[in-house]
Amino acid sequence: MDSGDCPITAASRLLSRKWSLVIVYHLLDGDKGFAELEKSIGAISSKTLSETLEDLRILGIVERIIDPGPPVRVRYRLTEMGEDMRSVLMELARWSCKWVVSNSRCGDILSKITKINGQNRPWQNVEEAQPQQTWLAD
């Protein structure tokens, strides 16, 4: 990466795969197996999940843990770099709840993102999460 890159351009390039942020979000509450991730995300194909997890692993955002078993179990968890994305996802979710989406899941999602070390720091001003303008069609 060129040292003259704009930070937003550089971050966007790193996280440009369609499901990257969704996978990071689903790993915020702890490590998960492949099938567990696939089920919690829902709309992602196995191939896309596998490729995106590998990309995130190469980038240093996710680590793959192999428990030799028996049976052998593979789990995925966020690295320190991945955990550091929690505040980024929080701000993205706040912005989306204010301007993009109009649904009751905002409070639940924001609560999950703010959960740190098993303690829930309540998201302030949840009532402000009512979007002022909806510009994406459902």
Side-chain angles (χ1 to χ4, degrees), residues 123-138:
W123 180 57
Q124 305 222 338
N125 304 320
V126 173
E127 63 277 359
E128 290 178 12
Q130 302 306 313
Q132 297 178 12
Q133 175 182 348
T134 310
W135 49 273
L136 294 178
D138 290 348

Side-chain angles (χ1 to χ4, degrees), residues 7-119:
I8 300 299
T9 303
S12 177
R13 204 174 297 134
L14 280 178
L15 300 169
S16 62
R17 184 176 277 279
K18 182 177 178 182
W19 293 97
S20 294
L21 293 177
V22 175
I23 291 169
V24 170
Y25 166 75
H26 282 275
L27 289 172
L28 284 173
D29 55 1
D31 63 328
K32 290 185 175 51
F34 187 88
E36 190 179 0
L37 263 174
E38 192 173 32
K39 183 179 178 181
S40 67
I41 294 171
I44 192 169
S45 72
S46 295
K47 180 182 178 196
T48 300
L49 177 58
S50 179
E51 290 172 354
T52 307
L53 280 167
E54 181 60 14
D55 287 350
L56 292 170
R57 189 192 65 74
I58 290 167
L59 291 169
I61 295 170
V62 169
E63 67 180 318
R64 185 174 188 246
I65 303 132
I66 301 172
D67 179 12
V72 174
R73 292 183 58 200
V74 177
R75 312 260 319 149
Y76 296 89
R77 77 169 156 222
L78 296 176
T79 62
E80 182 180 353
M81 181 182 181
E83 273 293 333
D84 206 30
M85 292 176 66
R86 185 180 298 274
S87 60
V88 173
L89 287 174
M90 180 68 185
E91 291 307 313
L92 183 60
R94 282 184 182 177
W95 176 83
S96 182
C97 286
K98 182 175 181 180
W99 296 102
V100 181
V101 297
S102 160
N103 70 45
S104 59
R105 294 194 57 217
C106 284
D108 293 340
I109 289 169
L110 292 167
S111 291
K112 176 180 177 177
I113 293 171
T114 58
K115 193 180 284 184
I116 297 173
N117 297 329
Q119 297 177 349

